[in-house]
Amino acid sequence: MNFSYKALFKRKCALDLQVNNIIKSYSDAAVDKFNLKIDFNIVKSMSSLGDRGSITVTGLPLEDIGALSTCMMNTGASKPPRNFVQLLAGYDTDFGVIFKGGVFTVSSNLDTSDMSVTLNVMPGFDISQKAVIEINDKPATLMSICTKAAKELNAPLNFTGEDKNYSEFNFKGSVFQLLENLQRTVSYSKRIYYSDDVLHVEDTAIPGTEMISISSESGLIGTPQASLEGINFKCLLMPSIKVGSMVQLISRKLPLLNGVYKVISLTMQGSNRSTPYFCNVFAKRI
């Protein structure tokens, strides 16, 4: 049996979610205790704004939905807390973190028997509580500035490609505003982005080190679509595919598209109780 069909019946899901000041864990391994339906739509790209999307949870206790639905209320001069959320999903052969960050807006549906809460998630949960960062360096380099940004994010820095010198660099604002500011100062081929808890500064034309094979045997669904910018293809959700990953595409119907590509953006989506897990990928040939 083709892997694409076998894997559909071996989905796995786990959710760590902060409710009030307690992080609760829900897993398919304990469905007798936590029989939740979890729908997710997470977008990852070479954007300085970081990974983001939505997670809808059905079946939470009413008191938990109530706590989440009111957690964004302004408590005065201080910013509302960003509740921690971590989603893991995949299959027996590939299971990992799909999103890790904070809850930034919440909407709930309590008017049906299947009560649900939708969490709009973005990077950082404690990062949003930090004061603005200020940089006044003369001179400075792109690497030295990004090193400070990575420290603020409490994330490793993956810096590839050439550095850039600044005779003077002045900035005051949030760390994500800093990344946007830096992106405007570099060439189009160089991308500065925060994804999967790593701050990346890389040249899109430089190949990565790891290679993932994408074929009908490994999860490719349908026929890849070519454009002037690159290719779009759909596959079973693979947590191992990340922005910046290298993929070896093998298409039986369009062999002219076969080759090595670098992932520029991807959308991970699915539900643990209905539709299979999918990944929609946009990549450029290397």
Side-chain angles (χ1 to χ4, degrees):
M1 183 183 292
N2 188 294
F3 169 80
S4 301
Y5 294 99
K6 289 193 298 182
L8 298 183
F9 303 100
K10 297 182 179 180
R11 286 174 287 167
K12 299 171 65 176
C13 187
L15 179 70
D16 294 324
L17 180 60
Q18 181 180 341
V19 181
N20 291 324
N21 294 318
I22 301 173
I23 295 180
K24 300 187 176 184
S25 296
Y26 309 91
S27 171
D28 278 350
V31 293
D32 57 329
K33 187 176 181 181
F34 300 119
N35 190 20
L36 301 182
K37 180 174 182 285
I38 299 173
D39 301 84
F40 58 89
N41 187 78
I42 302 297
V43 179
K44 304 184 179 190
S45 66
M46 289 186 174
S47 165
S48 54
L49 297 177
D51 306 339
R52 56 195 53 224
S54 65
I55 301 172
T56 298
V57 187
T58 304
L60 281 172
L62 180 58
E63 57 269 26
D64 288 357
I65 295 180
L68 290 166
S69 299
T70 57
C71 71
M72 305 310 301
M73 292 179 65
N74 197 315
T75 55
S78 62
K79 294 181 179 179
R82 307 301 189 189
N83 286 19
F84 173 78
V85 59
Q86 176 174 262
L87 173 69
L88 296 92
Y91 301 89
D92 285 345
T93 54
D94 192 359
F95 180 73
V97 176
I98 302 302
F99 178 84
K100 180 180 178 181
V103 177
F104 276 69
T105 61
V106 180
S107 59
S108 56
N109 179 9
L110 305 180
D111 300 324
T112 64
S113 57
D114 295 328
M115 295 185 295
S116 65
V117 60
T118 296
L119 315 172
N120 289 311
V121 295
M122 296 168 61
F125 57 101
D126 56 351
I127 296 172
S128 63
Q129 302 301 306
K130 296 182 180 180
V132 296
I133 60 176
E134 186 170 0
I135 299 176
N136 296 290
D137 292 348
K138 185 191 299 187
T141 65
L142 181 61
M143 179 175 286
S144 67
I145 299 168
C146 289
T147 298
K148 293 180 179 180
K151 183 178 180 181
E152 194 75 15
L153 292 165
N154 192 27
L157 174 63
N158 173 36
F159 195 105
T160 59
E162 295 183 0
D163 201 355
K164 176 180 174 65
N165 296 313
Y166 302 87
S167 59
E168 183 176 357
F169 191 89
N170 301 293
F171 174 82
K172 184 176 181 180
S174 74
V175 64
F176 293 110
Q177 289 172 332
L178 171 61
L179 299 183
E180 285 187 285
N181 184 296
L182 287 171
Q183 182 63 67
R184 290 192 290 268
T185 70
V186 299
S187 63
Y188 177 77
S189 64
K190 189 182 291 294
R191 303 300 303 173
I192 303 170
Y193 63 98
Y194 178 63
S195 182
D196 290 305
D197 274 343
V198 178
L199 177 57
H200 301 266
V201 183
E202 65 181 57
D203 192 318
T204 56
I206 297 178
T209 56
E210 296 184 3
M211 185 75 66
I212 301 171
S213 176
I214 303 293
S215 66
S216 58
E217 286 74 23
S218 64
L220 179 65
I221 298 172
T223 305
Q225 302 297 315
S227 69
L228 290 174
E229 293 78 22
I231 62 164
N232 291 276
F233 65 86
K234 185 175 184 178
C235 63
L236 293 180
L237 185 142
M238 300 180 187
S240 54
I241 296 182
K242 302 181 185 300
V243 175
S245 293
M246 305 301 299
V247 295
Q248 175 78 50
L249 181 69
I250 303 173
S251 171
R252 293 177 179 175
K253 294 182 178 179
L254 290 178
L256 288 176
L257 294 182
N258 292 351
V260 177
Y261 294 81
K262 190 168 191 174
V263 175
I264 304 300
S265 64
L266 65 154
T267 301
M268 296 179 165
Q269 56 190 172
S271 171
N272 66 328
R273 294 287 179 264
S274 54
T275 59
Y277 297 159
F278 293 124
C279 202
N280 292 290
V281 180
F282 169 68
K284 290 187 176 182
R285 191 187 290 271
I286 292 294

